[in-house]
Amino acid sequence: MEKVDIKNFTLSQLEAHITGQGKERFRARQIFKWLYQQNTTSFAQMTNLSKDFRAELEKTARISNLEAEVVESSADGTKKYLFRLSDGNAVESVLIPDEDRNTLCISSQVGCAMGCEFCLTGTFRLTRNLTTAEIVNQVCAVKREEPVRNIVFMGMGEPLANLENVIGALRILTDPDGFQFSTRKVTLSTAGLVPEMAELGAAVTVNLAISLNATTDEVRDRIMPVNRRYPLKELLAACKAFPLPSRRWITVEYVMIKGVNDSLDDAKRLVRLISTFPSKVNLIPFNEHEGCDLRTPTQDSIDRFHKFLLDKHVTVITRSSRGSDISAACGQLKGRLDKVTAGSI
Ligand code: SF4
């Protein structure tokens, strides 16, 4: 009989599994705490369970784990982890330190099917979804070495294209018997899968970020093919309908690309588009990379855009590019490692 990976279970699924074996429900909470609060990697360490029960668990279940194959550290403190999965595929996580609040950016898929023109991961195509265990194991691995305060689903993949496993991971991350992250500290970013946004909002409480990046359907169709399925009007209506707890907002990510979406007319349209829901704008100057013709905007156009939003009372920050000396932009470490494997650098 194949052993189940116990890290694929949310607490309620684990309770069902345990009670199905004739054990008390509260045992599931004990196991959950060992897995996510103690970061335990073997049943033998779970000393508040009887020896017999631990032996039974060993027979039917396993505790999966990830270890970083490569860790690159940037001069600004950003750390990039490359994890090799059991089938040989690789994903990455990026730890961004910021005074007392380290943020860990995690992946939800191997590759991505969305094909955004500005993104290196998009060029890898989708290989497969990550399991719930593979998603939470990125957090377990990094937490063994560094404190983690915030989690963002902004690594490889479109999280809403892997909805079931991502919801499982979100439940484990925010469960009081699991990782215990406040729902304020966990953010999921989507390119705009409209039906799944509603499903997510109905299933869990989480901060939402949308990767907007354009103010007209014409431009968005070109740089984000998902827009042809769910155009701006539908995406913005889904943002308006998303169930936000009070005093929370949707983060609007806007990768600024020279000559594509960095004009003052874009800034004006952006203010209008986001006016129907509480929002905060992150301006992200495009990070140039090999094989992509898009260019970083001038500092002047970034400053002008930023000031226009501020003058219109939009909450806006311009994100500095973190970890650029270690290719910490989405998908870049894996891209380089694939080249190393292929012998091209
Ligand atoms: S930006 Fe996100 S959704 Fe778009 S291709 Fe990259 S990983 Fe996929």
Side-chain angles (χ1 to χ4, degrees):
M1 185 179 70
E2 201 183 328
K3 294 183 181 184
V4 293
D5 183 350
I6 205 158
K7 283 190 166 169
N8 276 324
F9 290 142
T10 62
L11 180 58
S12 59
Q13 290 167 336
L14 185 58
E15 284 172 343
H17 181 75
I18 296 289
T19 53
Q21 295 186 336
K23 297 285 184 266
E24 305 99 322
R25 181 176 295 269
F26 76 91
R27 297 287 177 207
R29 282 177 199 279
Q30 291 178 313
I31 295 171
F32 228 58
K33 284 182 177 160
W34 281 111
L35 292 176
Y36 302 114
Q37 292 175 14
Q38 306 299 325
N39 223 333
T40 299
T41 52
S42 81
F43 292 117
Q45 293 169 289
M46 300 182 180
T47 47
N48 57 355
L49 306 180
S50 71
K51 272 194 176 162
D52 287 351
F53 184 29
R54 280 183 265 160
E56 258 177 71
L57 283 169
E58 292 285 3
K59 277 189 212 147
T60 58
R62 66 188 176 90
I63 302 172
S64 63
N65 198 18
L66 284 179
E67 276 177 29
E69 185 172 297
V70 179
V71 182
E72 287 191 6
S73 298
S74 159
D76 66 13
T78 301
K79 274 188 172 179
K80 190 149 184 165
Y81 299 80
L82 190 283
F83 296 108
R84 185 72 55 190
L85 306 174
S86 55
D87 61 0
N89 282 305
V91 290
E92 60 196 19
S93 311
V94 179
L95 184 71
I96 305 151
D98 199 358
E99 292 181 6
D100 61 339
R101 50 181 200 104
N102 283 359
T103 296
L104 181 65
C105 173
I106 57 175
S107 296
S108 55
Q109 297 183 305
V110 180
C112 184
M114 296 293 122
C116 304
E117 196 186 351
F118 50 85
C119 171
L120 196 52
T121 297
T123 62
F124 298 140
R125 309 275 167 88
L126 176 67
T127 302
R128 69 169 174 86
N129 285 336
L130 296 190
T131 63
T132 295
E134 288 167 334
I135 298 170
V136 298
N137 273 333
Q138 296 169 60
V139 184
C140 288
V142 175
K143 275 194 84 178
R144 263 179 219 120
E145 299 185 359
E146 306 272 359
V148 176
R149 300 270 179 267
N150 300 289
I151 301 286
V152 293
F153 283 74
M154 292 184 189
M156 294 175 72
E158 163 53 59
L160 295 188
N162 182 15
L163 190 62
E164 195 182 328
N165 294 344
V166 164
I167 287 176
L170 288 169
R171 291 200 164 120
I172 295 169
L173 288 167
T174 56
D175 196 303
D177 292 303
F179 281 109
Q180 299 180 301
F181 283 102
S182 151
T183 58
R184 292 188 166 274
K185 304 287 185 191
V186 182
T187 301
L188 180 146
S189 172
T190 179
L193 295 182
V194 165
E196 288 81 1
M197 284 168 68
E199 283 184 57
L200 175 80
V204 285
T205 302
V206 63
N207 294 325
L208 183 71
I210 56 159
S211 187
L212 189 68
N213 311 321
T215 59
T216 65
D217 280 322
E218 190 198 344
V219 172
R220 201 164 191 268
D221 279 355
R222 181 154 61 82
I223 63 173
M224 298 186 72
V226 67
N227 197 67
R228 295 173 208 156
R229 255 194 296 163
Y230 305 112
L232 280 171
K233 197 171 163 202
E234 288 182 36
L235 173 58
L236 298 165
C239 288
K240 193 176 170 200
F242 192 79
L244 285 177
S246 67
R247 288 184 302 175
R248 295 221 213 160
W249 54 82
I250 290 177
T251 301
V252 175
E253 292 159 356
Y254 195 92
V255 176
M256 287 188 74
I257 306 166
K258 187 177 186 177
V260 174
N261 62 3
D262 62 342
S263 70
L264 268 188
D265 282 342
D266 282 299
K268 282 179 200 161
R269 281 190 293 267
L270 180 58
V271 172
R272 208 176 56 242
L273 290 176
I274 62 175
S275 63
T276 58
F277 54 90
S279 65
K280 176 180 105 174
V281 174
N282 275 354
L283 294 179
I284 309 154
F286 174 68
N287 213 352
E288 291 181 16
H289 55 259
E290 218 181 292
C292 180
D293 294 337
L294 303 176
R295 292 288 164 253
T296 308
T298 62
Q299 193 57 48
D300 264 7
S301 64
I302 298 167
D303 293 345
R304 215 167 358 131
F305 202 107
H306 184 117
K307 183 172 181 312
F308 183 87
L309 297 187
L310 269 188
D311 290 347
K312 297 292 175 191
H313 311 291
V314 172
T315 306
V316 53
I317 57 165
T318 298
R319 279 210 324 235
S320 55
S321 181
R322 303 292 301 267
S324 48
D325 55 329
I326 55 161
S327 317
C330 173
Q332 291 189 10
L333 178 63
K334 182 180 180 296
R336 278 186 36 203
L337 283 166
D338 284 353
K339 283 188 187 170
V340 171
T341 314
S344 58
I345 58 176

mmCIF file of all heavy atoms in Angstrom, residues 112 114-116 118-119 121-122 155-158 191 211 330, ligand 1:
data_model
loop_
_atom_site.group_PDB
_atom_site.id
_atom_site.type_symbol
_atom_site.label_atom_id
_atom_site.label_comp_id
_atom_site.label_asym_id
_atom_site.label_seq_id
_atom_site.Cartn_x
_atom_site.Cartn_y
_atom_site.Cartn_z
ATOM 1 N N CYS A 112 4.490 27.920 -15.722
ATOM 2 C CA CYS A 112 3.227 28.656 -15.687
ATOM 3 C C CYS A 112 2.645 28.701 -17.090
ATOM 4 O O CYS A 112 3.376 28.866 -18.060
ATOM 5 C CB CYS A 112 3.463 30.079 -15.172
ATOM 6 S SG CYS A 112 1.935 31.016 -14.977
ATOM 7 N N MET A 114 0.378 30.944 -18.082
ATOM 8 C CA MET A 114 -0.242 32.242 -18.358
ATOM 9 C C MET A 114 0.471 33.040 -19.453
ATOM 10 O O MET A 114 -0.128 33.877 -20.112
ATOM 11 C CB MET A 114 -0.314 33.087 -17.073
ATOM 12 C CG MET A 114 -1.203 32.507 -15.990
ATOM 13 S SD MET A 114 -2.946 32.503 -16.470
ATOM 14 C CE MET A 114 -3.320 30.783 -16.334
ATOM 15 N N GLY A 115 1.777 32.818 -19.592
ATOM 16 C CA GLY A 115 2.513 33.423 -20.711
ATOM 17 C C GLY A 115 2.608 34.941 -20.689
ATOM 18 O O GLY A 115 2.626 35.570 -21.755
ATOM 19 N N CYS A 116 2.692 35.546 -19.505
ATOM 20 C CA CYS A 116 2.839 37.008 -19.448
ATOM 21 C C CYS A 116 4.160 37.402 -20.112
ATOM 22 O O CYS A 116 5.202 36.798 -19.831
ATOM 23 C CB CYS A 116 2.820 37.497 -17.997
ATOM 24 S SG CYS A 116 1.337 36.996 -17.118
ATOM 25 N N PHE A 118 6.202 39.816 -19.831
ATOM 26 C CA PHE A 118 7.291 40.412 -19.051
ATOM 27 C C PHE A 118 7.926 39.434 -18.069
ATOM 28 O O PHE A 118 8.811 39.790 -17.309
ATOM 29 C CB PHE A 118 6.755 41.627 -18.260
ATOM 30 C CG PHE A 118 5.503 41.303 -17.495
ATOM 31 C CD1 PHE A 118 5.570 40.733 -16.240
ATOM 32 C CD2 PHE A 118 4.248 41.539 -18.054
ATOM 33 C CE1 PHE A 118 4.426 40.409 -15.547
ATOM 34 C CE2 PHE A 118 3.096 41.227 -17.370
ATOM 35 C CZ PHE A 118 3.186 40.654 -16.115
ATOM 36 N N CYS A 119 7.462 38.167 -18.060
ATOM 37 C CA CYS A 119 7.851 37.249 -16.978
ATOM 38 C C CYS A 119 8.668 36.077 -17.505
ATOM 39 O O CYS A 119 8.266 35.411 -18.458
ATOM 40 C CB CYS A 119 6.590 36.737 -16.292
ATOM 41 S SG CYS A 119 6.904 35.426 -15.124
ATOM 42 N N THR A 121 9.265 33.222 -15.907
ATOM 43 C CA THR A 121 8.605 31.937 -15.639
ATOM 44 C C THR A 121 7.650 31.572 -16.772
ATOM 45 O O THR A 121 7.528 30.408 -17.155
ATOM 46 C CB THR A 121 7.814 31.999 -14.316
ATOM 47 O OG1 THR A 121 8.721 32.232 -13.255
ATOM 48 C CG2 THR A 121 7.073 30.696 -14.047
ATOM 49 N N GLY A 122 6.986 32.601 -17.330
ATOM 50 C CA GLY A 122 6.020 32.361 -18.394
ATOM 51 C C GLY A 122 6.647 31.660 -19.598
ATOM 52 O O GLY A 122 5.963 30.964 -20.342
ATOM 53 N N GLY A 155 5.581 33.477 -6.424
ATOM 54 C CA GLY A 155 6.701 32.810 -7.083
ATOM 55 C C GLY A 155 6.254 32.217 -8.410
ATOM 56 O O GLY A 155 5.401 32.786 -9.104
ATOM 57 N N MET A 156 6.816 31.067 -8.754
ATOM 58 C CA MET A 156 6.451 30.460 -10.040
ATOM 59 C C MET A 156 5.004 29.998 -10.024
ATOM 60 O O MET A 156 4.547 29.389 -9.061
ATOM 61 C CB MET A 156 7.324 29.227 -10.296
ATOM 62 C CG MET A 156 8.779 29.546 -10.487
ATOM 63 S SD MET A 156 9.717 28.031 -10.642
ATOM 64 C CE MET A 156 9.197 27.499 -12.254
ATOM 65 N N GLY A 157 4.301 30.279 -11.123
ATOM 66 C CA GLY A 157 2.960 29.732 -11.294
ATOM 67 C C GLY A 157 1.839 30.701 -10.991
ATOM 68 O O GLY A 157 2.029 31.731 -10.343
ATOM 69 N N GLU A 158 0.668 30.361 -11.499
ATOM 70 C CA GLU A 158 -0.567 31.114 -11.216
ATOM 71 C C GLU A 158 -1.306 30.331 -10.130
ATOM 72 O O GLU A 158 -1.851 29.243 -10.380
ATOM 73 C CB GLU A 158 -1.392 31.227 -12.506
ATOM 74 C CG GLU A 158 -2.848 31.599 -12.316
ATOM 75 C CD GLU A 158 -3.080 32.868 -11.493
ATOM 76 O OE1 GLU A 158 -2.588 33.933 -11.877
ATOM 77 O OE2 GLU A 158 -3.757 32.779 -10.451
ATOM 78 N N ALA A 191 -2.991 36.607 -11.801
ATOM 79 C CA ALA A 191 -2.988 37.340 -13.071
ATOM 80 C C ALA A 191 -4.417 37.692 -13.476
ATOM 81 O O ALA A 191 -4.614 38.501 -14.384
ATOM 82 C CB ALA A 191 -2.328 36.489 -14.151
ATOM 83 N N SER A 211 -2.316 41.186 -10.562
ATOM 84 C CA SER A 211 -1.229 41.634 -11.413
ATOM 85 C C SER A 211 -1.899 42.334 -12.596
ATOM 86 O O SER A 211 -2.347 41.683 -13.531
ATOM 87 C CB SER A 211 -0.454 40.381 -11.831
ATOM 88 O OG SER A 211 0.699 40.707 -12.514
ATOM 89 N N CYS A 330 11.040 36.790 -10.492
ATOM 90 C CA CYS A 330 10.281 35.565 -10.717
ATOM 91 C C CYS A 330 10.875 34.650 -11.782
ATOM 92 O O CYS A 330 11.027 35.023 -12.931
ATOM 93 C CB CYS A 330 8.884 36.038 -11.116
ATOM 94 S SG CYS A 330 7.762 34.835 -11.645
HETATM 95 S S1 SF4 B 1 3.687 36.781 -14.059
HETATM 96 FE FE1 SF4 B 1 2.821 35.111 -12.835
HETATM 97 S S2 SF4 B 1 1.014 34.473 -14.024
HETATM 98 FE FE2 SF4 B 1 2.298 35.654 -15.446
HETATM 99 S S3 SF4 B 1 3.599 34.109 -16.454
HETATM 100 FE FE3 SF4 B 1 4.733 34.882 -14.659
HETATM 101 S S4 SF4 B 1 4.300 33.404 -13.036
HETATM 102 FE FE4 SF4 B 1 2.722 33.142 -14.641
#
